[in-house]
Amino acid sequence: STDVSLCPGQVQETTEGTIAGLPLRLPSIDIHTVGAGGGSIARRDAGGALRVGPESAGSDPGPLCYGWDNARAITVTDANLLLGRLDAEHFLGGQMVLDLERPRAQMQRLARQLSLPLEAAAWGVIRVANSNMERAIRTISVERGYDPRRFTLVAFGGAGPLHACELAAALRIPRVLIPPHPGVLSALGMVLADVVKDYSRTVMLPATEIDARTLEHLFAPLYERGRAELQAEGLDESEIGLQPALDVRYVGQSYELTIPLTDFGMGFLDHFHEAHRRRFSYASEGEPVEVVNLRLKAVGRTAKPQFGQTPLGDIDSRAAHIGYKRVHFADASSARAARPVPAALYDRERLKPGNIVVGPAVVFQLDATTVIPPDWAASVDGWGNLLIKGGGA
């Protein structure tokens, strides 16, 4: 899958998610997920069009190139391998050698069905997968009133850095950031996450009947419960933070917006109108407003490790250079075609802060592979991140 979330200064949350098409009315991080990942299966549909996902080969049986006997379907990972974007000898830090022949034979069959050369069919798989991921990013940005050009695309997961620069180019996102260990970023987040408990109470009150004293009285039981339950988990009072919010809507609407409360004053009304205008492109400030739910997020702050920053050094990255190979990238004269060009290969473990890698290049590491197209360049910052910018950025 591809999981995307927009962070305009803070992590966005929602109370209206879905799982397998079923509504989920519980607080959660606002993540939009589509069936486009390294294991997504490519096929020709009944109408003769190329489809990629949402069906996935998963890890078992996995992509054909993994060499498992029960693997039968061609996947996005196989297409990346055939186009040189993955390398058979540098997968999992060289601990696993990928099989080239099985995906080549299966891709040849798919290419014949599509009446295309093998490389064109493999590039088609990448383009369709990228298109699916691009729509997911548009859903959580453009369709919600945010301009992607003002953001940085943070790519994580084992396959995210393979596609990040092309997605950024399509959406005109000026920067791509690849963390030091993108393949285990989600696991790291789980380890470092605070203890969080969410509480809600339905009140259905007109905004005209609410004042600071009323809000303080209504929130008191939630505050007491949040503190008590976090303290029962061993957290000290000094480690507990309480974040109140209101679900607000115009009278007659069937949906609400969650508005954080910075205090118990009436400033939430201005914040609601502003949020409504940003989300739906209009605000009706003269219309009556009602508060549907009270919400409280009780956060128990856990101890965090200290990550050190290293001073920037020489821009010369030759110490990390391990060779060259031909890699397919989009043809500048036709977005539908790809052409092989010599690309430099780098070992990320040897890259140092301050080093610059100019595309076309492929950067290998144990948990991910990063593809840097022509006219893009990456620099290593003091935290070990790869910051990649395009020619126009």
Side-chain angles (χ1 to χ4, degrees):
S1 67
T2 294
D3 309 300
V4 294
S5 185
L6 192 81
C7 300
Q10 70 281 333
V11 175
Q12 301 273 72
E13 297 186 0
T14 183
T15 58
E16 298 183 355
T18 59
I19 293 180
L22 301 175
L24 178 70
R25 298 303 296 268
L26 294 172
S28 61
I29 296 175
D30 192 1
I31 297 174
H32 183 64
T33 300
V34 295
S40 294
I41 294 172
R43 70 194 185 284
R44 178 180 179 270
D45 68 11
L50 175 62
R51 300 289 182 188
V52 179
E55 297 84 0
S56 176
S59 58
D60 185 8
L64 287 166
C65 62
Y66 285 6
W68 308 144
D69 291 338
N70 54 344
R72 296 289 182 272
I74 196 79
T75 68
V76 173
T77 296
D78 297 311
N80 274 311
L81 176 64
L82 292 170
L83 294 173
R85 299 151 70 91
L86 286 174
D87 188 83
E89 304 296 328
H90 292 93
F91 195 71
L92 287 181
Q95 298 179 31
M96 178 178 177
V97 178
L98 299 179
D99 183 346
L100 264 169
E101 296 310 313
R102 294 183 67 193
R104 180 177 285 118
Q106 187 66 22
M107 184 65 77
Q108 189 64 65
R109 282 191 283 271
L110 178 63
R112 285 195 294 268
Q113 294 174 7
L114 298 169
S115 300
L116 292 172
L118 184 146
E119 289 78 9
W123 182 244
V125 172
I126 299 301
R127 289 184 60 237
V128 173
N130 284 349
S131 178
N132 292 336
M133 290 185 268
E134 180 185 337
R135 283 198 299 272
I137 297 174
R138 289 186 184 279
T139 296
I140 55 93
S141 58
V142 177
E143 294 181 14
R144 299 184 184 180
Y146 292 95
D147 186 346
R149 294 174 296 182
R150 299 179 60 189
F151 288 80
T152 296
L153 181 62
V154 179
F156 60 95
L162 280 167
H163 302 263
C165 290
E166 288 158 351
L167 293 174
L171 292 158
R172 299 176 67 186
I173 299 174
R175 294 169 300 277
V176 173
L177 188 147
I178 312 294
H181 302 287
V184 295
L185 186 70
S186 295
L188 177 63
M190 289 290 289
V191 172
L192 301 182
D194 293 326
V195 178
V196 178
K197 294 182 180 292
D198 289 284
Y199 307 90
S200 65
R201 177 183 174 186
T202 300
V203 292
M204 297 298 296
L205 287 174
T208 54
E209 297 182 13
I210 293 178
D211 56 22
R213 179 175 295 180
T214 301
L215 285 174
E216 190 171 358
H217 174 74
L218 291 171
F219 270 102
L222 299 182
Y223 271 57
E224 183 178 351
R225 183 180 172 189
R227 286 194 181 97
E229 293 191 3
L230 286 178
Q231 287 172 349
E233 294 206 24
L235 289 155
D236 188 80
E237 175 72 26
S238 63
E239 299 170 326
I240 296 174
L242 301 175
Q243 303 169 7
L246 300 175
D247 285 351
V248 187
R249 68 186 182 189
Y250 293 117
V251 173
Q253 287 182 326
S254 60
Y255 51 88
E256 305 87 40
L257 293 178
T258 301
I259 307 301
L261 270 181
T262 54
D263 55 47
F264 284 142
M266 297 304 290
F268 74 86
L269 284 174
D270 292 334
H271 295 158
F272 166 68
H273 295 309
E274 179 185 345
H276 199 282
R277 182 178 290 108
R278 183 172 59 246
R279 182 69 178 270
F280 302 108
S281 300
Y282 77 96
S284 302
E285 298 183 13
E287 293 295 320
V289 173
E290 64 183 349
V291 174
V292 178
N293 301 307
L294 311 179
R295 294 194 180 275
L296 179 69
K297 181 178 294 296
V299 180
R301 293 180 287 271
T302 59
K304 305 292 191 297
Q306 298 298 314
F307 296 100
Q309 187 175 11
T310 304
L312 300 183
D314 193 353
I315 66 171
D316 190 349
S317 59
R318 283 180 293 181
H321 184 250
I322 55 177
Y324 291 92
K325 69 176 296 187
R326 295 179 72 80
V327 178
H328 284 73
F329 292 97
D331 191 333
S333 62
S334 173
R336 295 186 177 185
R339 62 186 180 88
V341 297
L345 309 180
Y346 291 88
D347 180 352
R348 186 165 183 181
E349 296 298 322
R350 302 183 198 172
L351 289 173
K352 304 298 181 184
N355 284 177
I356 293 178
V357 174
V358 178
V362 181
V363 180
F364 301 113
Q365 63 187 102
L366 177 65
D367 57 320
T369 298
T370 301
V371 171
I372 304 172
D375 300 323
W376 287 70
S379 59
V380 184
D381 69 10
W383 303 100
N385 300 301
L386 281 178
L387 187 62
I388 313 175
K389 297 183 180 181

